[in-house]
């Protein structure tokens, strides 16, 4: 019986430590984020959801920590010893779009691309130049073209931060097989 | 978060609210976005564009915005050589034009729903298809006609004159 009390006592102590660490390090939920979450899922406004989310779930987690405290302690110590793991996870979720070699379609010359991307408008509301209003961006891209680099077209399906799939197409500078700077000509959300 | 003021679209002889921001794509593709200031929680993007469809092509025909320092932004600031009409060849996607009475007000982005949505599918600035999507029917007593924003906070912006704010309101931009 003493062993059981000892185990649960250690669990209670772990719970206090974990809770204290959580309160000290947790980022405050901003009101605007709350608004967004509630707009996406109106269920969040209901009392039953709030009781479940704010009372039942934390209480169950607390009981679990008291019972299986070595696991909670291991996770917490790991977080303290290697905090960069958490940052890495965060970096992955906020990853910026970049062209990958799997997105490459076709190697093209400057002339071929400029022929393809000539913009003509009957109302003369765009420069009659390759890439029209984005001509300067194109010029900046090809300034980076060297003997070792190539121009490729690319097409990618990209999962945006907010969950939707996007089609992104354009041209990219490839140096020693590695895609670098790029210019997008299509950036659209793929409807479900 | 607050429902956002819509862009304006001149289409088939009348002006509509347009719940799509093609200019944001232009700034992203060009790799430069002017530092717009937000005069209101209902206008986080900091500008309102006026668009027109002519011969199945999407054009920007007006822009009203304010930079963080309070200076005005017009179409000429973004497209100096095309101050009155710029072909939106950079835009590929669906332009949403809500129509009819409001079914549900959502105080966030362009989240509110209306009886119908006119959906214009655009590829590189050219309208390739149009579709009317029916979302339901509102009761006579329910919902306002047309797109609107419920409530907003308006921030005093440096250099933004009362006259300018009134002008924007009169022109239906704010």
């Amino acid at each position: 019986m003493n062993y059981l009390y000892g185990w649960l006592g250690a669990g209670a102590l772990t719970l206090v430590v974990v809770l204290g660490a959580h309160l000290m390090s947790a980022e405050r939920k901003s009101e605007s984020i709350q608004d967004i979450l509630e707009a996406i899922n109106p269920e969040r406004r209901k009392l039953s959801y709030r009781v479940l989310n704010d009372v039942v779930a934390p209480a169950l987690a607390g009981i679990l920590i008291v019972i299986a405290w070595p696991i909670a302690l291991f996770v917490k110590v790991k977080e303290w010893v290697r905090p960069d793991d958490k940052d890495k996870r965060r970096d992955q979720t906020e990853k910026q779009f970049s062209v990958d070699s799997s997105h490459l379609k076709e190697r093209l010359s400057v002339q071929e691309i400029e022929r393809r991307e000539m913009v003509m408008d009957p109302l003369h509301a765009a420069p009659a130049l390759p890439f029209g209003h984005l001509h300067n961006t194109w010029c900046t891209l090809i300034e980076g073209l060297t003997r070792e680099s190539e121009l490729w077209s690319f097409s990618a399906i990209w999962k945006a931060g907010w969950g939707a799939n996007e089609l992104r197409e354009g041209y990219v500078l490839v140096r020693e097989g590695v895609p670098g700077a790029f210019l997008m000509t299509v950036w659209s959300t793929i409807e479900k | 978060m607050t429902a956002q003021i819509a862009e304006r679209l001149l289409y088939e002889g009348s002006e509509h609210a347009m719940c799509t921001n093609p200019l944001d794509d232009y700034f992203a593709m060009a790799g430069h976005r002017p530092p717009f200031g937000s005069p209101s929680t209902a206008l986080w993007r900091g500008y309102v564009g006026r668009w027109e469809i002519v011969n199945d092509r999407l054009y920007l025909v007006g822009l009203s915005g304010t930079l963080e320092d309070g200076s005005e932004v017009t179409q000429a600031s973004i497209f100096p050589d095309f101050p009155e009409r710029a072909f939106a060849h950079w835009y590929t996607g669906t332009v949403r034009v809500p129509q009819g009475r409001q079914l549900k007000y959502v105080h966030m982005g362009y989240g509110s729903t209306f009886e119908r949505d006119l959906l214009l599918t655009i590829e590189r600035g050219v309208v390739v298809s149009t579709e009317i999507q029916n979302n339901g029917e509102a009761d006579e007593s329910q919902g306002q006609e047309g797109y609107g924003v419920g409530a907003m906070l308006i921030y005093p912006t440096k250099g933004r004159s009362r006259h300018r704010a009134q002008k924007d309101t009169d022109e239906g931009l704010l």
Side-chain angles (χ1 to χ4, degrees), chain A residues 70 75 84 87 101 130 144 154 179:
Chain A
V75 171
D84 52 326
D87 293 338
S101 26
F154 72 87

Side-chain angles (χ1 to χ4, degrees), chain A residues 13-34:
Chain A
L13 196 66
T14 306
L15 178 63
V16 171
V17 171
V18 169
L19 202 62
H22 175 71
L23 290 175
M24 281 166 63
S25 65
E27 291 159 17
R28 222 173 137 252
K29 261 191 206 168
S30 78
E31 278 182 28
S32 56
I33 292 293
Q34 289 280 55

Side-chain angles (χ1 to χ4, degrees), chain A residues 32 35-36 39 117 119-127 131-134 137 184-188 191, chain B residues 1 25-26 28-31 54 57 59 79 82 85-90 92-94 104 106 108 124:
Chain A
S32 56
D35 283 351
I36 292 169
E117 299 296 338
V119 173
M120 299 301 282
D121 180 57
L123 300 185
H124 308 290
F131 298 93
H133 295 294
L134 294 167
T137 313
M184 275 192 288
T185 52
V186 173
W187 179 359
S188 66
E191 304 295 333
Chain B
M1 201 69 181
D25 288 17
Y26 174 75
M29 286 168 157
V54 178
R57 284 177 169 237
Y59 294 93
F79 300 102
F82 301 87
R85 184 176 293 276
F87 173 42
H89 62 80
W90 66 83
T92 295
T94 304
K104 186 183 174 196
V106 175
M108 185 185 75
R124 294 185 176 229

Side-chain angles (χ1 to χ4, degrees), chain B residues 6-172:
Chain B
E7 299 278 283
R8 308 298 306 169
L9 177 69
L10 300 163
Y11 179 64
E12 293 184 339
S14 51
E15 189 166 322
H16 309 263
M18 174 173 127
C19 295
T20 309
N21 305 327
L23 207 50
D24 279 358
D25 288 17
Y26 174 75
F27 295 138
M29 286 168 157
H32 172 70
R33 183 187 175 88
F36 288 107
S38 297
S40 155
T41 54
L43 195 63
W44 288 121
R45 66 185 183 282
Y47 67 84
V48 176
R50 181 170 268 148
W51 302 82
E52 187 176 17
I53 303 275
V54 178
N55 295 332
D56 286 337
R57 284 177 169 237
L58 179 66
Y59 294 93
L60 178 69
V61 292
L63 184 79
S64 176
T66 313
L67 293 183
E68 281 170 346
D69 65 5
S71 54
E72 281 186 28
V73 182
T74 62
Q75 181 158 341
S77 329
I78 311 294
F79 300 102
D81 297 330
F82 301 87
E84 284 167 7
R85 184 176 293 276
F87 173 42
H89 62 80
W90 66 83
Y91 185 71
T92 295
T94 304
V95 163
R96 176 181 162 237
V97 180
Q99 296 178 332
R101 296 173 82 84
Q102 188 175 277
L103 292 175
K104 186 183 174 196
Y105 178 73
V106 175
H107 199 51
M108 185 185 75
Y110 293 137
S112 297
T113 51
F114 294 80
E115 289 179 314
R116 295 174 306 281
D117 282 321
L118 167 64
L119 302 172
L120 305 169
T121 305
I122 293 180
E123 279 180 21
R124 294 185 176 229
V126 178
V127 180
V128 292
S129 70
T130 58
E131 179 196 346
I132 298 274
Q133 180 179 289
N134 285 302
N135 302 317
E137 213 164 289
D139 296 336
E140 277 300 305
S141 57
Q142 181 198 345
Q144 59 179 27
E145 181 78 29
Y147 186 86
V149 174
M152 69 184 93
L153 277 176
I154 296 177
Y155 305 121
T157 309
K158 270 188 280 177
R160 184 183 166 82
S161 68
R162 188 181 292 262
H163 169 74
R164 171 81 199 292
Q166 187 58 50
K167 187 168 167 272
D168 287 349
T169 310
D170 292 346
E171 289 176 355

Side-chain angles (χ1 to χ4, degrees), chain A residues 14-182:
Chain A
T14 306
L15 178 63
V16 171
V17 171
V18 169
L19 202 62
H22 175 71
L23 290 175
M24 281 166 63
S25 65
E27 291 159 17
R28 222 173 137 252
K29 261 191 206 168
S30 78
E31 278 182 28
S32 56
I33 292 293
Q34 289 280 55
D35 283 351
I36 292 169
L37 292 173
E38 285 177 4
I40 292 169
N41 179 13
E43 288 284 308
R44 295 179 73 96
R45 290 201 188 98
K46 288 187 178 167
L47 181 67
S48 56
Y49 182 93
R50 285 182 194 250
V51 169
L52 208 66
N53 194 52
D54 300 342
V55 181
V56 178
L60 282 175
I63 292 167
L64 259 175
I65 289 173
V66 171
I67 295 169
W69 59 267
I71 298 170
L73 205 59
F74 170 74
V75 171
K76 208 70 216 169
V77 168
K78 194 166 164 262
E79 257 180 35
W80 281 330
V81 174
R82 298 180 63 186
D84 52 326
D85 282 359
K86 202 175 174 182
D87 293 338
K88 265 186 207 162
R89 282 202 302 275
R90 185 173 299 172
D91 285 348
Q92 279 167 3
T93 59
E94 292 171 4
K95 204 174 157 195
Q96 294 285 310
F97 174 73
S98 58
V99 181
D100 192 76
S101 26
S102 65
H103 302 147
L104 300 179
K105 284 177 71 184
E106 190 182 0
R107 188 183 168 185
L108 296 159
S109 68
V110 171
Q111 292 74 19
E112 284 172 313
I113 295 173
E114 292 193 335
R115 260 199 306 276
R116 279 185 186 191
E117 299 296 338
M118 185 61 79
V119 173
M120 299 301 282
D121 180 57
L123 300 185
H124 308 290
L129 293 166
F131 298 93
H133 295 294
L134 294 167
H135 184 71
N136 288 344
T137 313
W138 167 244
C139 292
T140 307
L141 182 76
I142 54 176
E143 271 172 22
L145 198 59
T146 59
R147 272 190 195 170
E148 298 79 38
S149 54
E150 301 163 354
L151 274 167
W152 283 69
S153 59
F154 72 87
S155 178
I157 305 291
W158 178 252
K159 199 163 190 74
W162 46 287
N165 283 331
E166 293 177 345
L167 173 66
R168 299 194 180 196
E169 292 184 343
Y171 301 94
V172 61
L173 276 183
V174 178
R175 203 162 285 153
E176 292 171 3
V178 182
F182 60 89

